[in-house]
Amino acid sequence: MTHLPPRFSDWFAARGWSLHPHQAEMLARAADPALLLIAPTGGGKTLAGFLPTLLDLAEGGHSGLHTLYVSPLKALAADIRRNLTTPVVEMGLPIRIEDRSGDTSYTQKRRQRADPPHILLTTPESLALLISYEDAPRIFAGLQRVIVDEIHALAESKRGDQLMLALSRLQTLAPGLRRVGLSATVEDPAAIARSLACAPAPCAILHADPGPEPDIAMLVTEERPPWAGGGARYAIPAVLDEVRRHRTTLIFHNTRAQAELFFHNLWLANDDDLPIGIHHGSLSREQREAVEAAMVAGQLRAIVCTGSLDLGIDWGDVDLVIQIGAPKNVKRLIQRIGRANHRYNAPSKALLVPANRFEVVECVAALEAARAHDLDGDPKGPGPRDVLCQHILIVACAGPFGADALYAEVRSVGAYATLDRADFDACLAFCATGGYALRAYDRWQRLVERDGLWHLRDPRAAQRIRMNIGTIQDTDTLKVRLRGSFKPLGEVEEAFAATLTPGDTFLIGGQIVRYEGLRELTVEVSRDRGRQPRIATFMGTKFATSTQLSARILRMFRQDDWPALPAHTAQWLAQQRAVSRLPEADRILVESFAHDGRAHSCFYGFAGRNAQQTLGLLLTQRMEALGLQPLGFVATDYATLVWGLEPLRDAAALFDADDLRAGFETWLAGNAVMKRTFRAAATIAGLIERNLPQARKSGRQATFSSDILYDTLMKYDPDHLMLRITREEAMRGLVDFGRIEEMLARSRGRIDHVTLDRVSPLAAPMLLEMGRVPIAGEGRERLMADVAAELMALAGIEVE
Amino acid sequence: MTGVMMSLAGRRLTALPSGALWDAGAATLCVSDLHLGKSDRIARRAGLMLPPYDSRATLDRLAEEVTRCDPRVVVCLGDSFDDLASADALDADCQASLLRLQAGRRWIWIEGNHDPGPVDLGGMHLRDWRDGALTYRHIAQAGESGEISGHYHPKFALPGVGGARPCFLHDARRIILPAFGAYTGGLSARAVELRALMGPGACAILTGRVALRVPLI
């Protein structure tokens, strides 16, 4: 057991605290080059991370920066600063603590560079900006420790890759630097440890006591869940009952739109006027901060929220977490449940509310997985090269660099440990000359090599590079504000705004507003007295059900009966088995039936929403070629339903893996999702600038030009680095072709094609699904011609 | 070639799906706002290295129309070059393509705001060009009629079906051409500047696979 100096042990004793075992272990191993601590929320994780720093600094004598703390959220950095200040002030420690983010004032930032605090709390983007300055070597010279908080959240995105590249730079500037990662429960701690360590140095993993098992169940309601939809409106009375029975309830939703709708309906039913707030990423900062403050002050009984509350800010006395809609991912569920009951040794309590009949199955599968500690997650691919391109530019901003030294430094990052020299050189060439097959920019290249070192050709370029640091891709959003007011209500996606016509009503921030018009890239609205919005929803991130959870559902289907399921759902599955068959993991079930005068086919791939969507596009492309005249399709996490004019006779022919892959290649060329993937990569890599020095370029123009750049590259330089990156990215994310490959691998051509005389029980909910996709091609041209002719006739314009 | 027929000053003109204007009677092909050398200028000015294939792409599309129509006269309606320096910097390959296109026909460069002076390439250089009742110039002038111009890069989106496409604007007095060049953004046909120029009964003709006429509402 490590002994604390008296000043610390007295302080602990005065509060009636003792050192947790994992805090002691972190202290004992403080000299390790890298350490990863896995601890549940509220387990004294932050203090465990900072104690060695506080002890180091307690005697004074260190000047300059000692410890850098990086978290994914600005708010978290500010929160931690407040929490750390308490022990520092109470023990009278000579330690200066400051945070730094996009919100920090210019003067404060200048001062921090000239005279860094002992502990600096920041975000990956602000750190990337710091290392781009010429004086970075001086700022970081005495740096001893870096603490990466919520590293599990960062590790899932390119922000984590950017951060680890920045740490490799810091390691060069401060060779004694030790790294600490703090993580929630994850499926593969070793992978996170590898990403944190300075390769090939090891990284020990410490586990805090996970505390008692959480108490999770499915919310049982009088009313049955509906067949389709995601609103879970049926459960509102039961949810209100639970809110009444608990002190503070967090009500999580998978999308912002669903959170808005649910909040609206909750208030319509909230006869006791319970104080309930809403919190999600599309709301204005003012609104979010107001809700956060009310929450901390204990003024709210419930908060309807999305992933924006996923990360570890301490919201106080939450004693119940309700998850509306199936948790698409067990790991995320566990992390959300951890938000309840921060007190040691009290179990977290959570309820799952399926939004529809299929989600009942998903919820039960997720409960089983959670109880079995079977967490899901996809192994991460190698370090993304668009992030590397940005890093090269950032390094160039700080001063001249040698290619060999930078390559060695980059290879010390876990995710880039296997990067080969040719790939590195391709990224460097892209940064220097654009990397085109046609050598066009010899006079204007961005980086030039002189005496073996790479320099910015024009040092003024540094300003533009710094303005575009970061890997977060904001979807193009427009601010929403009340007409005649300057206060924003929140944001909607540009694509949603484009569908609005004046008079349309929609929900934002829990109120119904009427669309009045677009003014200088702001959506102007007025208040509406109506009780039902006409347009229910704006878009939002949709998570796909994880591979592991899909597999578990398929395993459940093999059971003879389903005692764990509510009777209505078990009967539904039994009926499906009687009239058709249940989908199996090692086969693909296809059901064909006529409905509403159209031929329908339902393809049960269980590949997750994004991959099923991509599959829909590929299958309809093949069906069009076969003359089946598909008209449209809709995709869910488990199936794709296609309708058209001609019935499908031979389903197996559609699933030839080589044909699908070939189709994928052609389809890549013109697809809007691919173009969006390209735009993201090109923006991160610095081909397209999000922010310009003077006039801000609107998202609309950026959309336009990046599509043209994509088309031009596809035609004239198809092997260009940006297109290679785009193809790789398409295996994951929105296109998710990797999961189609996974589906083909497990089914290996075993197709069960069942022809039915009517809709099957499992396919029936698909007919009610939102988000139908019309088939592009000749159909769209015909549709456009029809609309145009109609408008001409309406306008009374005669054409000779 | 599924173009849309239009009348202007008693002449019959065709809006081609590519964004070029074809006067079959006078065998005149007109394109506007080629912005050749745009990627070069952006590299020079902003240090951004966009795919340097825009001039190649624009000239390839122009060559398709020239081959199809076989015009006696080609009018480039201004802003043919992104600036005068980029006209000089046009690579040998693109210069050769231009030379091939110009062979055996009359080639008129109209001055634009981006290229307000003669360029060192073949063809005649004019502020504006009159062909009978028609006037070809870069920027439309209020009160003119029989006028064919470019400059604004108009684009238009059909409500509910797909994104905006570059378009022609047409009314009794004038035709405004879409930009023909790659890497050219656009201005909504509903923007005030364009509304002020276009009279009642104006139509937009969308470019794309086929040209499509819609009322400008």
Side-chain angles (χ1 to χ4, degrees), chain A residues 766-788:
Chain A
M766 302 283 297
L767 296 168
L768 305 171
E769 272 294 325
M770 307 277 286
R772 296 170 156 241
V773 181
I775 299 305
E778 287 307 315
R780 168 182 292 243
E781 296 290 330
R782 208 166 57 227
L783 187 63
M784 285 183 67
D786 290 350
V787 173

Side-chain angles (χ1 to χ4, degrees), chain A residues 10 89 165 243 316 326 354 388 414 458 545 549 577 597 624 722 728 748 791:
Chain A
D10 291 352
V89 169
L165 285 167
V243 170
L388 177 58
D458 177 358
T545 301
L549 199 50
R577 185 173 273 162
E624 174 111 34
M722 284 302 118
E728 261 173 39
R748 300 183 48 183
L791 288 172

